[in-house]
Amino acid sequence: MNSRFLWTAKQLKPTLTKSKHVLTPKASLAEGEHVDLDFGDHYVGRIHFVFQKEGRHPDSPALLHFIFGEKKWELEEDNSAYHGWIAKSWIQEEWIHIDEFPAKINLSRRYAFRYCRVELLGCSQAYRVLLQEATLISETSAPEKIAIVGETDQEKAIDRVSLRTLSECMQDVFEDGPKRDHRLWLGDLRLQALVNYQTYRHNDLVKRCLYLFAGTADKNGVLSASVFTKPKVVGDGASMSDYSLLFIPTVYDYFKATKDKETLLELLPLMRTQIKLADAQMKGGVFLDPNRLGWCFIDWSLELKKRCACTGVYLYALRELIECERELGYDVKSEEARYQEVKEAAKKEFYDEKNGLFFCDGQLSFASNIWMVLGGVLSPVEGKEILLRLEERDDVIRPVTPYMMHHYLIALYECGLTGKMRNLMNEYWGKMVQDGADTFYELFDPEHPDASPYGSRSVNSYCHAWSCTPSYLLRKYFLHGEQS
Ligand code: RAM
């Protein structure tokens, strides 16, 4: 823990803007009945209800069940049959007894939802329960509304939903998703920050998050993959090889957007440390199995082999560090030599001449090939051939998250396939819009819309900030041309 860094983070704690949304359903319920509320858009916030009774004096308490859903189907799920491997307590529901009427019920937790079901589980026949009012106080630290961009109605819809996704995740920190973790994750932060620079420009929130990671690093400089902020700041203690490396571009991007050199210089030693820590997990210029040495994320595909992609992330991060240090006037010769060494080793270890593609321990995936492109292992011409070849294969593991899909789009851009990149953005995110998305999802595999790495879609997050990058892509690559 670095208390000075944490002090800096604390000074940058944002104030949340709160807004009130009131529904007056006046729904009269007997035991076993329910009413569904629709707040009209996705919100993050706290809710209270006013209940009255109709009929005779209550001769039993009322037992109410509340379910919250980012998607309407969440209200219909049989949560008693939940069989996922992460805690069932992530499901947004609550049970309350009411003894006296009228009753104002404040639910103490924060929820992320558009839909809410109020179900009367128990009540005597002497009376009915009347739901008079439901008041939601929504919260966000996103400073203002942003003008929507896009050349077509579809692009405008994608931008609107992306912006909403990001602003819903902008709370005390950049949360990954407000339904589940409520937590600051490093890999997610990198993409949120990129979108933020093009939209809300709440750059102090990015700075706060950088200092939260820096402040919770252990004495060897190992970064936690995620940070809890309540009741006090603590790193989750788990480190992920790829996320740690991506701290480097996250800081450098922040510097490019803000020119805040003081922060860059303060965090530079920690950026360098991430390369050294990664070096210790490599042999002969490529990663040993990152899943054995520490969790490496890359994508939410449980079968994915990650040594190749992780080596690509290393090259990508090292290249960013070199560029950053060069800009600051440092001698980068030894880093450049290391970059060349790893680049050659990666090609030797993972490139399959016969197929003209990268394989990771015999497995073909988009992830491996995309990160080899992003790591600069190939020229744009070679990269283009590889990406096109990849599409023709049906024995390939495809991206399952908008996080991986974003990296695919950037790889297409790097290889000059800008038209393809834009079409794919429209196709992939457009399908979520067609699916009725108010905010974009943590996972989206159009072929398997109910898939979940957690064993149940009930705990998937349907407002997940790493999916909001079209707002960045549209502004940076398509509508105003390249910006710094
Ligand atoms: C999920 C989080 C987050 C991601 C990690 C790896 O649990 O929601 O988005 O960064 O996994």
Side-chain angles (χ1 to χ4, degrees):
M1 286 273 200
N2 180 319
S3 50
R4 198 168 53 81
F5 285 174
L6 291 183
W7 184 85
T8 304
K10 196 172 171 192
Q11 304 315 302
L12 298 165
K13 192 171 155 66
T15 40
L16 300 178
T17 305
K18 302 195 177 189
S19 320
K20 197 172 177 182
H21 315 268
V22 185
L23 296 182
T24 48
K26 300 208 170 40
S28 172
L29 306 175
E31 182 172 292
E33 292 180 344
H34 68 258
V35 55
D36 288 345
L37 309 178
D38 177 356
F39 281 85
D41 206 343
H42 188 282
Y43 291 102
V44 176
R46 288 158 213 282
I47 189 161
H48 59 260
F49 300 90
V50 177
F51 292 100
Q52 247 312 357
K53 59 102 189 158
E54 287 179 327
R56 300 205 305 274
H57 193 280
D59 56 353
S60 80
L63 173 60
L64 288 154
H65 179 213
F66 302 87
I67 314 171
F68 298 90
E70 296 183 307
K71 303 294 286 177
K72 194 151 192 215
W73 58 256
E74 287 176 82
L75 306 185
E76 308 286 345
E77 287 294 87
D78 175 10
N79 293 330
S80 65
Y82 176 76
H83 53 269
W85 61 269
I86 60 171
K88 184 179 178 179
S89 49
W90 287 122
I91 298 172
Q92 305 187 101
E93 55 185 338
E94 193 58 87
W95 291 263
I96 296 274
H97 283 88
I98 301 180
D99 292 300
E100 288 174 26
F101 292 88
K104 184 174 174 196
I105 301 296
N106 281 302
L107 297 189
S108 59
R109 303 185 68 222
R110 196 198 74 184
Y111 296 100
F113 68 105
R114 167 174 171 171
Y115 305 99
C116 167
R117 171 169 290 184
V118 181
E119 200 177 359
L120 185 59
L121 292 184
C123 171
S124 79
Q125 288 180 357
Y127 71 106
R128 293 173 73 90
V129 172
L130 182 69
L131 172 55
Q132 283 190 317
E133 203 176 287
T135 305
L136 159 66
I137 310 291
S138 62
E139 305 172 359
T140 174
S141 60
E144 68 205 56
K145 293 240 178 301
I146 298 291
I148 286 163
V149 302
E151 251 166 30
T152 59
D153 286 348
Q154 167 152 292
E155 284 188 350
K156 285 180 190 145
I158 291 174
D159 190 43
R160 179 177 46 74
V161 177
S162 295
L163 289 169
R164 181 104 200 146
T165 306
L166 181 60
S167 64
E168 291 290 273
C169 294
M170 288 170 77
Q171 299 292 335
D172 184 39
V173 293
F174 280 102
E175 291 183 10
D176 58 334
K179 166 177 166 181
R180 213 185 47 237
D181 294 14
H182 303 191
R183 216 184 305 168
L184 168 65
W185 283 86
L186 190 36
D188 308 55
L189 171 66
R190 174 168 149 264
L191 299 190
Q192 288 170 292
L194 287 173
V195 183
N196 170 71
Y197 302 136
Q198 297 284 339
T199 57
Y200 297 105
R201 298 196 166 90
H202 193 348
N203 298 346
D204 275 352
L205 189 62
V206 181
K207 182 171 175 179
R208 167 171 159 76
C209 295
L210 293 174
Y211 276 95
L212 284 171
F213 281 114
T216 51
D218 76 5
K219 61 178 185 338
N220 299 316
V222 177
L223 296 167
S224 276
S226 75
V227 174
F228 301 96
T229 49
K230 286 171 188 149
K232 57 184 183 140
V233 173
V234 54
D236 74 352
S239 152
M240 290 180 3
S241 334
D242 55 341
Y243 276 20
S244 295
L245 285 164
L246 292 171
F247 182 69
I248 296 167
T250 311
V251 177
Y252 187 36
D253 288 339
Y254 168 78
F255 170 68
K256 285 189 276 189
T258 61
K259 304 289 171 244
D260 177 357
K261 196 165 173 183
E262 204 185 320
T263 295
L264 175 64
L265 291 177
E266 197 153 52
L267 300 181
L268 186 60
L270 207 48
M271 293 159 75
R272 290 182 176 138
T273 302
Q274 301 318 305
I275 295 292
K276 295 216 174 64
L277 290 167
D279 286 338
Q281 301 178 44
M282 297 167 85
K283 201 172 169 199
V286 294
F287 262 89
L288 295 161
D289 187 348
N291 268 338
R292 271 192 216 143
L293 294 162
W295 195 22
C296 171
F297 176 62
I298 304 289
D299 196 14
W300 255 132
S301 166
L302 298 177
E303 55 190 326
L304 194 62
K305 295 192 175 168
K306 300 174 177 174
R307 287 197 314 125
C308 176
C310 202
T311 306
V313 174
Y314 176 95
L315 285 166
Y316 175 80
L318 180 56
R319 204 158 60 157
E320 291 275 311
L321 183 65
I322 292 170
E323 197 184 309
C324 173
E325 293 198 327
R326 197 182 286 126
E327 192 173 337
L328 293 169
Y330 290 101
D331 176 9
V332 290
K333 275 199 211 72
S334 67
E335 276 115 326
E336 281 178 331
R338 174 67 180 157
Y339 179 81
Q340 285 309 325
E341 184 190 357
V342 174
K343 184 171 147 172
E344 276 149 36
K347 206 155 182 188
K348 203 162 143 223
E349 174 83 4
F350 302 116
Y351 190 65
D352 179 310
E353 293 281 351
K354 202 171 90 214
N355 286 286
L357 288 164
F358 288 90
F359 281 72
C360 185
D361 301 321
Q363 182 191 71
L364 182 62
S365 69
F366 271 76
S368 295
N369 285 274
I370 287 165
W371 276 110
M372 286 289 103
V373 169
L374 296 178
V377 177
L378 307 154
S379 70
V381 176
E382 291 168 322
K384 183 174 171 177
E385 283 166 10
I386 282 205
L387 293 177
L388 294 176
R389 215 170 278 144
L390 204 54
E391 282 187 353
E392 280 153 25
R393 305 281 298 224
D394 45 24
D395 56 343
V396 57
I397 298 184
R398 310 190 74 85
V400 298
T401 57
Y403 175 80
M404 191 65 232
M405 195 51 96
H406 167 83
H407 292 105
Y408 183 25
L409 296 188
I410 301 296
L412 290 171
Y413 175 80
E414 295 289 333
C415 300
L417 294 164
T418 320
K420 220 176 197 353
M421 170 195 187
R422 193 165 185 171
N423 289 342
L424 190 57
M425 183 196 78
N426 272 293
E427 191 188 313
Y428 184 74
W429 275 267
K431 278 192 185 142
M432 280 187 264
V433 170
Q434 278 160 29
D435 185 51
D438 297 301
T439 47
F440 287 130
Y441 314 163
E442 173 181 20
L443 301 124
F444 184 60
D445 177 353
E447 303 295 314
H448 309 98
D450 292 340
S452 167
Y454 310 116
S456 165
R457 67 174 186 170
S458 298
V459 287
N460 285 1
S461 148
Y462 291 89
C463 173
H464 215 73
W466 67 22
S467 65
C468 70
T469 60
S471 287
Y472 160 75
L473 302 169
L474 280 165
R475 287 170 181 77
K476 182 167 166 102
Y477 297 106
F478 303 139
L479 300 174
H480 312 303
E482 181 97 34
Q483 293 169 2
S484 66

